[in-house]
Amino acid sequence: MLEPRDRKLMFDALRPPVGYTFDQGIGTTYSADLLALMMAPVAFTFFDLHQGEDGPATSSLEVLESLRRHADRLTLFCEAGRIAVPRGKYPQLAFIETAVVQCRPPDRGSFHPKVWVLRFLGDGPTRYRLLCMSRNLMFSRAWDTMLVLDGQVGGRTVAANHPLADFVRALPGMADRAAAADVVARAALLAGELRAVQFELPDGVDDIRFWPFGHSTSRPNPFRRLGKRLLVVSPFVGLTTLETLAAGVTECTVVSTVPELGALSRRPEGVSKFYVLNERAVAESEDVEAAVSDSMADAIAQQDLHAKLYVTEFGAEAHVWTGSLNATD
């Protein structure tokens, strides 16, 4: 879990491997803050210009040129109409305006992923980093999760990567207006190489799978096989979904928010325990005005639980799902 006041982990997750530099990448989010988006090219600029604490002195023009160059190599897909524009004037935002692609999925769906794919070039084989987060690209104080996977392009395809590659290739087709040729080409390049990336597994993990939704007519069910116990962590919950998940297990525990649990019409059948965050785990806002939100979604993103996490047990083993999937109907 991310400490609510700490944005350093996301910054560090953008750091290229030793001996490598950022080449290009794609990010996805439901809502986006333009200042938060600028953090990515700023990070790549910082890592390029300062290889150590006593890095070479650079001029403002060099920093701006590096910022522009990195911004041109990054594309961010987000839900149409969900871009937060800062109140002040920031001329540097001109560098990232063309990096944002607004999306309108078919059948009145929502564009909700929080996945980043980054490509690095350097001394050895082409390397990739995948960020799978529950957090939108916003300045948020909420509790979230972030999975970071690193790997290099190998000589053979990896079947488990195909759903992820298909999702990345489909992203330009979700744009609310025709995506630029360079955006389509970037998605095609990353998707093609992702099929052959050998991701390094985190400690204690034996296997990984990817479960993208909405980019095709198929509707995969990642929860088709559950163990005896299930933990559901979700800021938004739906009665039908909770009861469907709980139907196949002997013990189901739900962690959510007070407003969401209070809005349920009745207690979900099969759910044995409910939890919410302790009030002491919620960071106090330093700006009262910034804490005022127009929607429950924004309020939760600013102050409370925003992680989406599912854990089930199979004897001595466990399956963990993390990403952007709420337990809603």
Side-chain angles (χ1 to χ4, degrees):
M1 288 241 177
L2 302 183
E3 205 286 324
R5 292 182 180 272
D6 186 8
R7 304 193 232 296
K8 183 177 180 181
L9 286 178
M10 175 64 179
F11 190 85
D12 287 345
L14 301 176
R15 182 187 298 271
V18 176
Y20 283 76
T21 58
F22 172 72
D23 174 60
Q24 57 184 304
I26 280 177
T28 62
T29 182
Y30 173 70
S31 53
D33 185 303
L34 291 182
L35 288 180
L37 171 58
M38 195 165 63
M39 178 188 69
V42 165
F44 298 134
T45 298
F46 175 83
F47 296 136
D48 269 4
L49 298 180
H50 300 274
Q51 298 301 323
E53 292 184 0
D54 299 322
T58 57
S59 69
S60 298
L61 287 178
E62 288 177 305
V63 173
L64 286 175
E65 170 57 23
S66 182
L67 175 61
R68 181 201 62 78
R69 186 173 66 252
H70 285 107
D72 286 344
R73 301 176 186 176
L74 184 67
T75 301
L76 180 77
F77 294 88
C78 73
E79 171 85 352
R82 297 295 301 184
I83 300 176
V85 180
R87 298 173 183 174
K89 294 183 179 180
Y90 297 87
Q92 301 92 331
L93 293 179
F95 293 129
I96 63 172
E97 288 180 349
T98 59
V100 181
V101 176
Q102 300 192 67
C103 297
R104 295 187 187 275
D107 301 324
R108 294 182 296 176
S110 293
F111 187 82
H112 200 253
K114 298 103 170 59
V115 173
W116 288 57
V117 177
L118 307 175
R119 184 178 192 255
F120 301 104
L121 299 179
D123 299 335
T126 301
R127 294 193 63 85
Y128 272 78
R129 179 168 298 150
L130 175 74
L131 309 181
C132 184
M133 302 178 287
S134 62
R135 171 169 293 194
N136 290 303
L137 191 59
M138 305 287 290
F139 290 112
S140 168
R141 296 181 179 89
W143 291 84
D144 279 283
T145 61
M146 177 170 63
L147 172 67
V148 182
L149 295 176
D150 281 286
Q152 65 182 38
V153 179
R156 60 182 180 84
T157 61
V158 180
N161 294 358
H162 290 187
L164 174 64
D166 292 341
F167 167 75
V168 171
R169 187 181 297 274
L171 285 173
M174 301 183 196
D176 65 347
R177 60 185 64 183
D182 62 328
V183 172
V184 176
R186 174 168 297 142
L189 170 65
L190 300 184
E193 290 187 336
L194 277 173
R195 291 179 177 272
V197 173
Q198 306 284 339
F199 284 112
E200 301 159 6
L201 299 180
D203 292 341
V205 175
D206 300 321
D207 188 26
I208 56 174
R209 296 185 182 183
F210 302 104
W211 299 93
F213 293 85
H215 64 293
S216 68
T217 56
S218 64
R219 297 289 296 176
N221 180 13
F223 308 114
R224 185 175 56 227
R225 180 170 173 259
L226 296 174
K228 292 183 178 181
R229 298 203 300 166
L230 174 66
L231 168 68
V232 177
V233 181
S234 177
F236 302 101
V237 295
L239 185 63
T240 302
T241 296
L242 290 181
E243 292 185 338
T244 299
L245 290 169
V249 300
T250 57
E251 181 182 330
C252 180
T253 299
V254 173
V255 181
S256 188
T257 63
V258 173
E260 278 293 290
L261 294 178
L264 295 175
S265 59
R266 56 179 171 81
R267 182 187 182 97
E269 295 182 5
V271 178
S272 52
K273 299 177 182 179
F274 297 89
Y275 291 95
V276 296
L277 283 186
N278 188 305
E279 290 183 358
R280 288 175 292 180
V282 179
E284 293 183 0
S285 174
E286 298 173 358
D287 185 344
V288 175
E289 186 177 356
V292 179
S293 303
D294 295 330
S295 68
M296 178 59 68
D298 289 339
I300 289 176
Q302 288 180 4
Q303 286 290 332
D304 210 328
L305 177 76
H306 198 248
K308 292 89 171 162
L309 188 68
Y310 305 79
V311 184
T312 190
E313 292 180 339
F314 291 91
E317 296 183 343
H319 289 186
V320 179
W321 295 266
T322 185
S324 60
L325 187 64
N326 287 302
T328 57
D329 303 335

